[in-house]
Amino acid sequence: MKKLLSVLALSMGVAFTASAGVVVIGNPAAADMSLADAKKAFLGKGNSSLVVYELDEGNATRTEFHSAVTGKSDSQLKAFWSKQVFTGKGNPPATVSSAAAMKSAVASNPSAIGYIDEADLDASVKVILKP
């Protein structure tokens, strides 16, 4: 019974460390952001001086982020941006392929925001929102 409990405890520990949860990041000098402001920014409706970065389509962290912040699924988000582009109301944010690329893009621009899994954080960026 002890072995079974030990294995269960270890497997739960691995599951918790694999994905700590998504966080919105900014340059270390950036101010904190509200959930409503993050939703607007990632849907192209917020502060136009922000430079917004997304992870590539199909990335699990992107799916988790949009579920928590914008409330849109991948297909809803794709349809939303298609409509915005078609009607001339906006363009989707630039995309990056990895958490490392996201941190590099956000750290190098004081006006940039993005999101990563909390487990990928380092001192190059600041958490400005935990949805």
Side-chain angles (χ1 to χ4, degrees):
M1 185 68 169
K2 281 185 176 181
K3 283 185 178 181
L4 178 61
L5 290 174
S6 296
V7 170
L8 181 62
L10 286 173
S11 65
M12 290 176 67
V14 169
F16 288 124
T17 58
S19 177
V22 69
V23 292
V24 178
I25 58 171
N27 184 278
D32 289 346
M33 174 176 264
S34 71
L35 182 61
D37 287 342
K39 181 177 180 177
K40 288 179 186 175
F42 283 91
L43 293 176
K45 298 176 181 175
N47 180 349
S48 61
S49 65
L50 287 176
V51 178
V52 178
Y53 289 97
E54 289 263 16
L55 289 169
D56 286 337
E57 199 172 317
N59 184 299
T61 302
R62 177 183 167 130
T63 302
E64 180 183 353
F65 169 78
H66 281 288
S67 174
V69 174
T70 66
K72 295 192 180 295
S73 68
D74 288 340
S75 60
Q76 289 171 324
L77 195 61
K78 191 172 188 171
F80 171 81
W81 282 115
S82 292
K83 184 177 177 181
Q84 295 298 101
V85 170
F86 184 74
T87 59
K89 293 182 178 176
N91 291 305
T95 60
V96 294
S97 61
S98 67
M102 180 71 79
K103 289 186 290 187
S104 177
V106 170
S108 66
N109 183 345
S111 299
I113 62 171
Y115 55 84
I116 57 175
D117 190 285
E118 192 171 13
D120 295 321
L121 277 173
D122 62 28
S124 68
V125 293
K126 173 186 173 186
V127 174
I128 58 174
L129 174 67
K130 280 187 174 185

